Amino acid sequence: MSKLRGADILARALAVAGARDIFSLSGNHIMPVYDAALDAGLRITHVRHEGAAVHMADAWGRLTGEPGVALVTGGPGHANGVGALYTALAGESPLVMLSGHAPLNQLGRGAFQEMAQADIAAPSTKLSFTSSSAQSLGDDLARAIRIARSGRPGPVHLSLPQDLLDQLVEEGERFVPVRGAFHASAQLLSDAQAASVLAVLASAQRPLIIAGPQLASHRGAALCQQLRDATGIAVVCMESPRGIADPCLGAFGDVLPDADVIVLLGKQPDFTLKFAVPPAVNATCRFVVIDADIGALRRSIANLKAARVAASAVADAPEAVRALILAAKKSSFKTNTYKTAVEEAIAWRPAAWTNTKAHTTGVLHPLELGRAVQPLLDAADDPVFISDGGEIGQWAQACIRAETRIINGVAGSIGSAIPFALAARVARPNATIIAAMGDGTFGFHMAEFDTAARHNLPFVALIGNDSTWNAEYQIQLRTYGEARVHGCELAPGAAYEKVVAALGGHGERVTSAADLMPALTRAMASGKPACVNVMIERHAAPTVTRAND
């Protein structure tokens, strides 16, 4: 009887799970998996930093709803990837990080790159564990994928000891799980629970539904729109570290205190909601809390105080939305006037933004970037807009819209935009992909332009270059004063476009508004991974409120 390596079991299990696209950086411990990938038909996008591989798996999860897979080596490779897990955890993005690992039969003896990997990854994952036998590798992968996609989605880590990957087992035995083993059972909102939620909403004068990051995807947004239509109640999705001050939400903060009932749909009353206390939220506002995680549900009720919670339920957010839609269609809900007020506030932007320009020559105002990008996305058949964090990210999110959007998320991290864009191109081969970022952000993963060129993954990186870590510069300026601003400068007008060109991409430098649209058009037409490096003024991120208009 022929034999299989543990690596073959793992690779075949990945193929059965439908996870044929793997984001990886090679290393000693995982070379058996690279070899097994050939026979299993797995496609490897080989990156330049392990953190980029995890960010790509994160973006894959957000775009497709299926867990992305990052494959990294053990020890320092694993450590490099761990930092990116937190962004996925806060963003509720399903992914599995597979890490090579020192051989089990050498542990405790000073094995090469021996490390307590599962312990290191645990705080940033839903589950972190190490395989203990070659025969269980397929089942371990199925468990990791099930947990990553179940309930409130998120990252799972699985370490793969090298001796298990090399170990031979009898091929005739069933070690590769069937496809159903990779799927989790849904937690449903019952008809009675849905009716109870709607009864609370019907009793309100100014009801509001706030959804968490899981529903921020393209598919989630479509569900939220159906819920709006069925109930006549505004549904607001929050996925930004700026919370109710997210510029994408316009003047939402102006009307939130008027709500008298808020349904938290997979959304915790955390810092993004100012902990749901006055003045951000009215002290008399009642809540309905729906969460897939019983622990998170209990924390929410405790933090809100039980007297403010009119109803609660454990259910997956998408399933809860579907149940509420069905129940609402059987009721007589009509559009609430508060819905109009909320949606008008979210859409509101200062009138002055229409014509805002830079005060000096040779640079642009951040708003001028948005005014150039929006027509290109509007004209695209499949537009994907990606925004990193920082001040320029907030300006971009305030004034650039697309049917599909990926941002840095509640974690508030920066540096993920370039890997996000690469994963978007793998997932959406024909999309128009524009990623906005600052010059500080660009430095995190600029080498991934080499990855993009090698794998033919074109996209446009739009850099707002103000020669500084501007978010921190603005903190120093407003907190300590101009005389104590220091340590946040970057190279003046660095030629990042030349870096991209040297790595096989297309580069453009822009110093005037008139040149921006032509540069973006050429970048898109180049068919290469492209960088449009735009010199901009330093501006603090916008605070959108009608009180200042």
Side-chain angles (χ1 to χ4, degrees):
M1 185 177 291
S2 60
K3 294 181 179 291
L4 286 175
R5 295 168 299 177
D8 296 310
I9 295 172
L10 180 77
R12 292 185 185 185
L14 284 165
V16 170
R20 291 187 176 273
D21 283 286
I22 311 297
F23 306 108
S24 179
L25 200 157
S26 57
N28 291 23
H29 293 126
I30 56 173
M31 297 323 295
V33 183
Y34 269 60
D35 184 69
L38 292 173
D39 294 327
L42 307 181
R43 297 177 290 267
I44 294 176
T45 301
H46 197 213
V47 304
R48 299 300 300 271
H49 190 281
E50 289 88 355
V54 177
H55 284 313
M56 291 174 75
D58 177 354
W60 181 273
R62 299 193 206 192
L63 285 165
T64 69
E66 297 296 320
V69 177
L71 173 65
V72 303
T73 196
H78 170 80
N80 282 344
V82 164
L85 291 172
Y86 181 68
T87 298
L89 183 68
E92 299 178 11
S93 179
L95 72 84
V96 174
M97 185 174 96
L98 300 173
S99 300
H101 189 280
L104 290 181
N105 58 22
Q106 296 178 10
L107 295 185
R109 299 162 57 195
F112 175 59
Q113 296 182 343
E114 183 175 343
M115 180 186 287
Q117 293 180 184
D119 293 342
I120 291 170
S124 296
T125 59
K126 294 181 68 177
L127 174 68
S128 183
F129 67 113
T130 303
S131 287
S132 59
S133 74
Q135 292 87 343
S136 71
L137 284 167
D139 290 333
D140 289 343
L141 178 70
R143 180 188 180 200
I145 289 178
R146 279 198 311 273
I147 291 174
R149 72 188 345 155
S150 67
R152 178 179 289 172
V156 172
H157 161 252
L158 172 61
S159 269
L160 310 167
Q162 187 174 0
D163 53 345
L164 303 187
L165 295 175
D166 284 326
Q167 184 179 331
L168 295 175
V169 299
E170 298 293 345
E171 185 172 7
E173 297 185 52
R174 176 170 294 216
F175 298 124
V176 178
V178 297
R179 186 165 179 81
F182 298 89
H183 293 273
S185 299
Q187 298 179 102
L188 305 178
L189 189 72
S190 70
D191 292 345
Q193 289 171 321
S196 176
V197 172
L198 291 181
V200 176
L201 288 170
S203 71
Q205 293 183 318
R206 295 173 300 281
L208 179 64
I209 300 171
I210 299 181
Q214 185 183 4
L215 293 171
S217 67
H218 175 58
R219 294 170 312 285
L223 273 176
C224 288
Q225 183 59 55
Q226 293 175 43
L227 184 58
R228 288 186 192 97
D229 294 342
T231 61
I233 297 170
V235 182
V236 180
C237 190
M238 297 182 66
E239 59 166 339
S240 166
R242 302 221 350 147
I244 59 177
D246 177 4
C248 175
L249 296 180
F252 173 59
D254 291 352
V255 297
L256 177 60
D258 297 331
D260 58 357
V261 166
I262 296 175
V263 175
L264 295 177
L265 193 51
K267 175 69 185 140
Q268 295 184 71
D270 56 13
F271 75 99
T272 63
L273 266 175
K274 305 291 186 185
F275 304 104
V277 297
V281 177
N282 196 297
T284 62
C285 182
R286 295 181 299 151
F287 289 86
V288 174
V289 184
I290 302 173
D291 206 294
D293 183 333
I294 184 64
L297 181 76
R298 288 170 176 165
R299 286 193 300 274
S300 294
I301 294 172
N303 291 334
L304 289 168
K305 310 302 180 188
R308 299 179 76 193
V309 179
S312 64
V314 175
D316 296 347
E319 297 302 331
V321 172
R322 294 185 180 98
L324 291 172
I325 290 169
L326 288 175
K329 287 180 177 178
K330 300 174 184 177
S331 304
S332 55
F333 273 87
K334 297 180 180 179
T335 298
N336 188 286
T337 55
Y338 183 57
K339 171 182 178 289
T340 303
V342 171
E343 294 180 347
E344 286 179 349
I346 291 173
W348 185 87
R349 298 294 184 275
W353 282 16
T354 305
N355 299 305
T356 299
K357 298 178 181 178
H359 296 104
T360 56
T361 59
V363 294
L364 284 70
H365 190 283
L367 286 169
E368 295 181 275
L369 276 63
R371 291 203 294 267
V373 167
Q374 193 60 57
L376 299 175
L377 292 173
D378 289 342
D381 292 332
D382 185 12
V384 176
F385 170 60
I386 295 165
S387 179
D388 219 300
E391 306 302 90
I392 187 61
Q394 299 304 315
W395 282 106
Q397 292 169 43
C399 58
I400 300 175
R401 306 171 309 281
E403 192 169 310
T404 299
R405 186 187 83 150
I406 310 176
I407 69 170
N408 61 327
V410 180
S413 61
I414 63 172
S416 56
I418 293 173
F420 280 2
L422 269 63
R425 175 57 68 210
V426 176
R428 302 265 189 94
N430 300 313
T432 296
I433 302 170
I434 298 178
M437 66 199 74
D439 46 339
T441 289
F442 180 79
F444 276 68
H445 290 297
M446 69 172 75
E448 299 308 331
F449 271 92
D450 167 70
T451 303
R454 282 185 288 110
H455 289 278
N456 189 26
L457 302 173
F459 72 100
V460 176
L462 177 65
I463 301 176
N465 189 339
D466 54 17
S467 305
T468 188
W469 296 99
N470 193 29
E472 292 71 28
Y473 168 83
Q474 296 294 337
I475 290 172
Q476 290 181 331
L477 196 62
R478 65 176 176 264
T479 306
Y480 310 115
E482 189 171 4
R484 302 190 67 81
V485 169
H486 74 109
C488 295
E489 299 294 321
L490 291 170
Y496 300 120
E497 74 281 0
K498 293 183 179 179
V499 174
V500 170
L503 291 173
H506 175 90
E508 299 259 357
R509 185 182 185 85
V510 174
T511 58
S512 73
D515 293 336
L516 180 53
M517 178 70 83
L520 286 168
T521 302
R522 288 190 297 269
M524 292 172 60
S526 72
K528 297 180 178 182
C531 164
V532 178
N533 187 18
V534 185
M535 305 302 114
I536 63 170
E537 289 180 321
R538 294 180 186 177
H539 286 279
T543 299
V544 184
T545 173
R546 289 177 290 200
N548 296 333
D549 191 34

